[in-house]
Amino acid sequence: MPDRNSAAHRAMAAAVARMPDPASYQETALLETDLVAAFGTCRAVAVSSGTAAITTALAACGIGEGHEVLLPAVTVVMTVAAVAACGARPVFVDAAADGRGMDLNDLAAKTGPATRAVVAVHLAGRTDGIHDLAAYTRATGLRLIEDACQAQGTTSGGRQAGTIGDIGCFSLKDGKLLACGEGGYLLTDNTDFAARAAAYRTHWQSDAPDAPAGTHLGVNFRLAEPLAALARHHLTRFPEALAQRREQATALHRAVDGTPGLEPITAAAGEEPNGYAALWRLTLPDPRAFAARLAQAGVPNSTGTHRLTAAHLHPACSRFASGDLPHARVTVDALLAVPFTEHDTDEAIQRRALTIRREAVRWTR
């Protein structure tokens, strides 16, 4: 660990030494080149956060006031915030009956004249239904934006998560498989979208198709140069980090599987998840309370620790809600997603497994 920290320090040293240099984007440009090489897209655009990446992607697609964006009710509030920040209206779509992806019938019913895009959200590294969504958006002329902030390294049908739709959005927040403390990036094969995204993130100070520099208002979503340098350093270790997460998720599943009340959520056909979290569907009574109990006992998880709630039931999203979405509510409430970091040792994972098994047995007595 000390050697790794030293290497990270050295990676940032050159960027720090050049400061103050307010016009420099050297590390950002190099990071974007490295991301293109790593993930095989035509363009990458680095921004200041994962939420900024989604907001920028929507702006690059020309989505704003008066438009509607379809997104799953099974999502984090940050995705909703990004849609609202563009001035568009989020429209929540129910989950499929089996909890895997969006209900395509509900999606079609809610597609209207104001609909401009669908945002797919790959929670816990899973891409359920992404190819069906891609087919639907191609047929309807809608844009497909992937919120792949938790899905770095996941593949589906041989494609990287975030490269199946028009634009993929990623987070570099601490705890992600590829991280630099805070930041994000977009991947796309559409050079026009990339140019608009790059202009938008820097107050439209660069040219974009049909929108020369200075003709539009943008924002400051730039990624700080030292953070870009750190992200480049960590990108060289990404295959190692990906392998570690997958091993961690496999180890926890093996240690917990067979526990009554916990049904493993397996990967969809053709998908290789990144191991962002180990996943179960809880069949225990009052699953949200059980997840909260696990959090108190030292097992971090999506609903118990981070209070994940179906978006249409989230207090901050109430003005966008229009009726109950029962499958989404049940899917979120029954979800047990236990995430990992690179610091979780084998011993720590086994302790978590022991806690989960013990608490599940106590819960049903």
Side-chain angles (χ1 to χ4, degrees), residues 31-44 151-155 158-163 170 172 177-178 185-189 235 238-239 242:
L31 172 61
E32 291 171 346
T33 298
D34 292 347
L35 289 168
V36 165
F39 294 106
T41 56
C42 291
R43 291 288 303 275
Q152 293 161 317
T154 292
T155 60
R159 301 278 300 276
Q160 291 277 348
T163 69
F170 299 82
L172 291 168
L177 276 76
L178 174 61
Y185 58 95
L186 296 80
L187 298 178
T188 184
D189 286 328
L235 184 56
F238 182 70
L242 179 59

Side-chain angles (χ1 to χ4, degrees), residues 96 147-148 152 182 232 250 252 273 276 305-306 342-343 353 359:
D147 176 352
Q152 293 161 317
E182 189 62 272
R232 290 186 62 219
T250 297
L252 187 59
Y276 184 87
T305 306
H306 303 293
E342 64 179 285
H343 301 300
E359 295 301 328

Side-chain angles (χ1 to χ4, degrees), residues 52-363:
I54 302 168
T55 306
T56 301
L58 291 163
C61 292
I63 294 166
E65 198 74 35
H67 296 155
E68 292 182 348
V69 175
L70 301 172
L71 70 164
V74 181
T75 188
V76 292
V77 70
M78 300 79 168
T79 314
V80 184
V83 175
C86 284
R89 179 177 179 81
V91 177
F92 300 126
V93 178
D94 202 5
D98 62 0
R100 291 183 176 274
M102 285 191 266
D103 181 335
L104 293 180
N105 290 326
D106 194 38
L107 182 80
K110 290 174 176 174
T111 300
T115 307
R116 292 294 182 273
V118 176
V119 177
V121 182
H122 304 325
L123 280 184
R126 299 299 179 90
T127 61
D128 292 327
I130 184 58
H131 297 288
D132 289 337
L133 287 176
Y136 179 80
T137 54
R138 285 194 298 269
T140 55
L142 301 175
R143 297 302 181 189
L144 177 58
I145 296 169
E146 295 178 70
D147 176 352
C149 289
Q150 296 182 6
Q152 293 161 317
T154 292
T155 60
S156 179
R159 301 278 300 276
Q160 291 277 348
T163 69
I164 299 166
D166 293 290
I167 305 178
C169 305
F170 299 82
S171 171
L172 291 168
K173 189 181 188 303
D174 191 25
K176 298 297 189 288
L177 276 76
L178 174 61
C180 62
E182 189 62 272
Y185 58 95
L186 296 80
L187 298 178
T188 184
D189 286 328
N190 187 307
T191 56
D192 287 353
F193 290 161
R196 293 189 186 107
Y200 180 77
R201 61 124 188 243
T202 317
H203 293 296
W204 221 281
Q205 293 180 347
S206 58
D207 293 330
D210 302 321
T215 58
H216 285 59
L217 291 175
V219 294
N220 174 12
F221 280 164
R222 294 185 291 266
L223 180 63
E225 284 285 275
L227 297 183
L230 183 59
R232 290 186 62 219
H233 165 69
H234 285 157
L235 184 56
T236 64
R237 299 182 52 255
F238 182 70
E240 175 188 339
L242 179 59
Q244 180 188 22
R245 290 293 181 94
R246 286 172 170 161
E247 290 170 1
Q248 290 171 323
T250 297
L252 187 59
H253 268 289
R254 284 176 177 166
V256 171
D257 287 351
T259 302
L262 277 75
E263 296 180 354
I265 300 177
T266 58
E271 180 182 66
E272 188 174 4
N274 61 356
Y276 184 87
L279 298 175
W280 293 270
R281 183 173 295 106
L282 295 173
T283 59
L284 298 169
D286 200 351
R288 288 192 72 92
F290 175 73
R293 172 61 193 141
L294 287 183
Q296 294 168 358
V299 180
N301 64 85
S302 54
T303 55
T305 306
H306 303 293
R307 300 178 183 177
L308 178 66
T309 303
H312 69 295
L313 300 176
H314 195 289
C317 303
S318 59
R319 68 185 186 277
F320 304 123
S322 56
D324 190 25
L325 305 175
H327 295 310
R329 173 169 39 81
V330 171
T331 296
V332 171
D333 288 352
L335 177 66
L336 178 64
V338 180
F340 306 95
T341 75
E342 64 179 285
H343 301 300
D344 290 325
T345 64
D346 293 340
E347 292 78 11
I349 290 172
Q350 292 305 314
R351 286 195 299 272
R352 283 185 187 174
L354 178 62
T355 300
I356 294 171
R357 294 198 306 269
R358 181 190 69 225
E359 295 301 328
V361 170
R362 290 176 176 175
W363 199 258

